[in-house]
Amino acid sequence: MLIPTIIMGWLGVLLFLIIAVTFPKMAKNNEFAFIHILMALMHGMWLPLPLTIYQLLNIELLQVGTLFGFVYLMLMVVTMTLQTGHIAYIVKQNDDQAIIDEYGNYMMATLSNPFECLAMMFKCVWALFLGLSFLNSEEVLMAGLMFLFSLFFFYYLAIVIDTSLVKRVKFFSKVKPNTWIINLETMLFLIILMSYITFH
């Protein structure tokens, strides 16, 4: 299982780099649906990763974290695929502007936040259990890195609370989802894990 996970995982990283490099061109051509289906495939490539790391560390504590990691990746595949369908429909079927912007924004709000941020919270829980497991294995550097990533839980929690409350709380409303922060944090997290299983 290790070799296929390594191959698929690095293919996922390659997809991310392709998206990052070609994003300006694709955005200019309004190919947001294609970007989202690539992101769905990217997360799909990482689906074996939680189980593979669990097998490598072989620590019972990580069983719970592995479930959170797998659910996180599945949620991202689902939301990216749903967003792909929505964006493609809006772009292809709206030549007469029959679908108003408010409806399009409503659907994207439904399919993105808090859906994506909840998934990211599950990733942070996975990171916490990874940190505890690495600490148990006396791999201090990896444990420290995973604990750092787990702290993003509070960032995503604030966004989820803000998007879920009818009467917004000023403290939470100050925390805004930042695409650059989210994508960079996610990619660094997964590259570190891929590097660990590749060179361990």
Side-chain angles (χ1 to χ4, degrees):
M1 183 172 183
L2 180 61
I3 300 301
T5 302
I6 290 172
I7 293 170
M8 292 177 68
W10 286 115
L11 282 174
V13 173
L14 180 61
L15 271 175
F16 177 85
L17 294 175
I18 290 171
I19 293 167
V21 170
T22 61
F23 180 81
K25 179 71 173 176
M26 288 197 287
K28 185 178 178 181
N29 294 328
N30 204 22
E31 295 292 353
F32 292 101
F34 186 60
I35 291 170
H36 279 76
I37 201 63
L38 286 179
M39 292 179 73
L41 286 170
M42 176 184 78
H43 284 92
M45 292 292 182
W46 293 320
L47 281 171
L49 187 57
L51 184 58
T52 300
I53 294 176
Y54 169 68
Q55 290 180 338
L56 277 176
L57 293 177
N58 195 25
I59 295 173
E60 187 176 347
L61 173 68
L62 191 53
Q63 287 180 352
V64 175
T66 299
L67 289 174
F68 276 95
F70 184 77
V71 171
Y72 147 67
L73 290 167
M74 277 301 302
L75 287 174
M76 292 305 293
V77 170
V78 169
T79 187
M80 291 299 163
T81 305
L82 291 174
Q83 288 178 47
T84 298
H86 165 68
I87 295 168
Y89 182 83
I90 289 288
V91 172
K92 292 179 181 180
Q93 306 296 327
N94 202 30
D95 291 335
D96 57 356
Q97 300 298 311
I99 304 172
I100 59 174
D101 289 342
E102 285 79 5
Y103 176 73
N105 293 336
Y106 158 73
M107 286 303 297
M108 282 306 293
T110 302
L111 299 173
S112 56
N113 285 327
F115 197 112
E116 286 181 40
C117 284
L118 182 65
M120 292 297 188
M121 287 169 63
F122 288 172
K123 181 186 61 143
C124 294
V125 173
W126 179 31
L128 176 63
F129 278 96
L130 283 168
L132 293 170
S133 300
F134 282 123
L135 195 62
N136 189 68
S137 300
E138 298 181 350
E139 298 184 68
V140 179
L141 176 61
M142 285 297 295
L145 289 170
M146 292 301 106
F147 286 138
L148 281 175
F149 283 111
S150 71
L151 293 176
F152 277 93
F153 179 90
F154 300 103
Y155 171 69
Y156 297 121
L157 177 63
I159 297 170
V160 168
I161 290 174
D162 182 55
T163 55
S164 303
L165 289 174
V166 174
K167 186 176 181 181
R168 300 178 75 183
V169 177
K170 190 175 182 180
F171 174 78
F172 295 117
S173 63
K174 290 180 179 179
V175 182
K176 305 292 183 185
N178 185 303
T179 305
W180 289 102
I181 292 175
I182 293 170
N183 286 327
L184 185 60
E185 178 262 328
T186 299
M187 187 46 51
L188 284 174
F189 174 73
L190 290 161
I191 285 176
I192 288 169
L193 291 181
M194 284 305 306
S195 299
Y196 177 81
I197 69 167
T198 302
F199 303 112
H200 179 67

